[in-house]
Amino acid sequence: MLTTHPFDDDHLREECGIFGVSGAEGAAALVALGLHALQHRGQEAAGISTFDGTQFHTHRAMGHVAGNFDRDEIMRALPGNVAAGHVRYSTTGETALRNVQPLYADLASGGFAVAHNGNISNALRLKRDLVRSGSIFQSTSDTEVIIHLVATSSYRSLLDKFIDALKRIEGAYSLICMTPEGMIACRDPLGIRPLVMGRLGETVIFASETVALDVVGAEFERAVDPGELVIVQDGKVRSIRPFKPVPPRPCIFEHVYFSRPDSIVDDQSIYSVRKNIGAQLAIEAPVDADLVIPVPDSGVPAAIGYAQQSGIPFELGIIRSHYVGRTFIQPGDKVRHLGVKLKHNANRALIQGKRVVLIDDSIVRGTTSLKIVQMMREAGAAEVHMRIASPPTRHSCFYGVDTPERAKLLAAKMDVGGMTDFIHADSLAFVSIDGLYKALGEAKRADIRPSHCDACFTGDYPTSLTDQDELGTVEQFSMLEERVG
């Protein structure tokens, strides 16, 4: 059967990535390159929509950008100098082509395409009301709610309809929208999900991360501010801010895991922040050991920081194969067990007889940590200590990150001692929430008004969770989604 690789099924999923281009001949080709750079944010599906001045064109497909947007016949079918693209890992809605973005609809004002990174936390209530009023949904994605809200708004202009729609939704969103009048890019008022703007000559580009600008040769101009709408029409850029300003709460996990190390988020190098987290972890949770070993690839920068701070040598004690995808064929339990080593294998000659410190970005269910500790034991490690470059993940995310229900989060069920026993480590420690903020350059987390969304660690959700509050559990949430979808 086709199944998720054992080393992939215990990470928080990377939400989605969006990329938009306005004012470039062959815009779809630039979008395809940008999506390649954002592939880590969503590996389930990809799509590109273009506008040629007369009509919209869209190609959407399951799988990676490569293989779907590297064929001449597909790119020729996407003409126009305005384009938007999306890479998807689903957090709401089934895994199906009908949910792949950008989503497109013909409205009274003309075509409307939208690419969304985030999650609307009152989408089910809104969808229920819209269906009762006569709306007909074609997907089970929360993003389609935005289209219907725009279509049914009583305001006259498309921009006013769009703003009206945004004021009715809760949760997290970064959006790139295409209309016959131009492109609109925006972030939710708290700026939970990232979005940046750059330029390539006269071309205006929007992306989830700065690395995507680098890949297409664009210059980073600035981040789109929380609550800001940036409108590009005929090469002219203007900004409006229709929401009452509130203190921003960008997702702190962008620094821990989601963003690529070569991206800049909130004017900070992701790579440098992750090294700082590792150094802080070494201060807070030292251990007498021979080697610091990262769990590749996400644990590497933090492991470098831990090694430099502690003086313990950094070594690649786990070798990762980059030729194994997220899925592979597992015809039986025995082969499934052996298949673990297809992606990660212990560097046995290095580990034999050594006391090792494993550095990883997080523990979710604990299954991956258990396998890695076991791998070190089988390779002859004398002691295995694990250090985690984030606080314990005790709460689910409802802002566009695919988190298991809380009952399946190891840190929600056990204290650190229990987790240590579960993964069979000699010791286990996490960076503190104050230590995480210190690595970001802040003295500590301000409990009255934290500067980031850290709800997965603290349970301090920055917005209302209408659907979740009404339904109570993730299981009920999924059941209702199927009924209204």
Side-chain angles (χ1 to χ4, degrees):
M1 62 178 175
L2 197 64
T3 183
T4 303
H5 193 282
F7 274 92
D8 284 330
D9 64 3
D10 195 31
H11 278 286
L12 299 182
R13 302 299 187 184
E14 298 97 324
E15 342 132 10
C16 299
I18 57 177
F19 192 90
V21 170
S22 180
E25 185 177 350
L30 278 179
V31 171
L33 288 173
L35 293 181
H36 273 288
L38 299 174
Q39 186 74 85
H40 61 287
R41 299 185 71 89
Q43 300 178 42
E44 198 173 82
I48 296 177
S49 293
T50 65
F51 181 63
D52 63 9
T54 302
Q55 63 182 16
F56 287 80
H57 309 268
T58 298
H59 181 76
R60 303 180 298 162
M62 307 304 297
H64 290 189
V65 179
N68 285 316
F69 292 98
D70 56 1
R71 303 203 305 271
D72 288 341
E73 64 271 21
I74 289 176
M75 301 311 293
R76 284 197 301 269
L78 293 170
N81 65 0
V82 180
H86 187 272
V87 287
R88 181 175 193 259
Y89 184 88
S90 61
T91 56
T92 66
E94 64 183 332
T95 301
L97 187 60
R98 63 175 176 162
N99 287 329
V100 180
Q101 299 184 35
L103 296 183
Y104 174 81
D106 284 308
L107 307 183
S109 56
F112 186 86
V114 57
H116 172 207
N117 171 210
N119 201 61
I120 300 171
S121 57
N122 64 336
L124 292 184
R125 175 189 276 187
L126 290 169
K127 184 173 183 178
R128 181 183 60 208
D129 294 341
L130 286 161
V131 169
R132 286 173 177 169
S133 299
S135 292
I136 300 173
F137 280 75
Q138 300 298 316
S139 75
T140 59
S141 168
D142 62 334
T143 307
E144 192 178 355
V145 168
I146 299 171
I147 295 175
H148 286 274
L149 290 175
V150 173
T152 58
S153 172
S154 60
Y155 283 84
R156 293 178 64 90
S157 75
L158 178 60
L159 182 58
D160 287 338
K161 287 176 180 287
F162 183 61
I163 293 169
D164 181 44
L166 295 182
K167 288 185 175 181
R168 295 179 61 188
I169 64 178
E170 301 169 357
Y173 56 84
S174 286
L175 303 172
I176 298 175
C177 303
M178 294 166 51
T179 79
E181 300 174 16
M183 177 171 281
I184 306 171
C186 64
R187 290 173 79 188
D188 64 80
L190 291 170
I192 298 174
R193 300 268 69 90
L195 190 63
V196 298
M197 181 170 68
R199 287 185 184 268
L200 182 61
E202 298 300 314
T203 301
V204 180
I205 298 177
F206 299 99
S208 292
E209 293 183 38
T210 60
V211 66
L213 301 178
D214 297 338
V215 165
V216 301
E219 291 291 326
F220 169 71
E221 188 164 303
R222 65 179 180 87
V224 176
D225 289 335
E228 179 186 18
L229 277 69
V230 180
I231 302 147
V232 186
Q233 293 177 298
D234 300 323
K236 297 179 181 178
V237 179
R238 63 188 176 101
S239 169
I240 59 174
R241 301 169 192 270
F243 301 99
K244 179 181 177 181
V246 293
R249 294 279 299 274
C251 174
I252 204 166
F253 222 87
E254 291 286 345
H255 294 280
V256 174
Y257 176 66
F258 292 138
S259 293
R260 262 179 49 164
D262 44 347
S263 280
I264 305 295
V265 174
D266 299 330
D267 297 324
Q268 291 182 294
S269 159
I270 292 294
Y271 179 78
S272 296
V273 168
R274 289 179 187 165
K275 282 183 62 180
N276 291 344
I277 296 172
Q280 185 64 30
L281 187 56
I283 294 169
E284 294 182 358
V287 63
D288 190 13
D290 302 309
L291 300 175
V292 172
I293 295 174
V295 177
D297 289 316
S298 57
V300 171
I304 293 172
Y306 193 101
Q308 291 176 347
Q309 178 66 39
S310 66
I312 302 171
F314 169 94
E315 294 287 356
L316 296 179
I318 302 172
I319 305 303
R320 176 182 176 183
S321 170
H322 291 268
Y323 302 98
V324 179
R326 296 178 73 93
T327 57
F328 66 107
I329 302 299
Q330 299 180 0
D333 289 342
K334 183 177 180 180
V335 176
R336 183 182 189 280
H337 176 72
L338 295 174
V340 169
K341 295 183 179 181
L342 284 175
K343 194 159 191 175
H344 294 79
N345 192 43
N347 192 347
R348 186 177 294 270
L350 184 72
I351 293 166
Q352 181 74 39
K354 299 294 198 304
R355 301 166 298 169
V356 302
V357 186
L358 295 169
I359 309 294
D360 204 355
D361 60 90
S362 61
I363 291 180
V364 183
R365 295 178 179 88
T367 52
T368 291
S369 300
L370 174 62
K371 292 184 180 82
I372 293 173
V373 171
Q374 181 182 0
M375 180 188 293
M376 294 294 101
R377 301 276 192 210
E378 292 173 352
E383 297 176 11
V384 183
H385 305 271
M386 181 157 271
R387 297 294 182 265
I388 306 299
S390 64
T393 304
R394 294 194 172 99
H395 304 271
S396 297
C397 176
F398 302 100
Y399 300 121
V401 181
D402 185 32
T403 318
E405 56 265 35
R406 196 176 181 209
K408 294 183 179 179
L409 294 172
L410 194 65
K413 300 184 290 185
M414 302 177 182
D415 61 13
V416 174
M419 296 173 74
T420 306
D421 293 339
F422 178 85
I423 67 172
H424 298 165
D426 290 288
S427 72
L428 169 68
F430 297 78
V431 74
S432 67
I433 190 69
D434 284 348
L436 181 57
Y437 275 88
K438 187 173 182 180
L440 289 168
E442 302 178 27
K444 61 180 293 186
R445 181 187 191 270
D447 290 321
I448 297 174
R449 186 172 290 171
S451 61
H452 288 73
C453 176
D454 52 24
C456 54
F457 307 133
T458 66
D460 180 6
Y461 296 99
T463 75
S464 300
L465 300 175
T466 297
D467 293 334
Q468 183 65 20
D469 292 342
E470 288 183 358
L471 297 167
T473 69
V474 172
E475 289 88 348
Q476 290 172 316
F477 187 94
S478 298
M479 288 171 62
L480 179 62
E481 182 180 49
E482 290 174 4
R483 290 200 299 271
V484 300

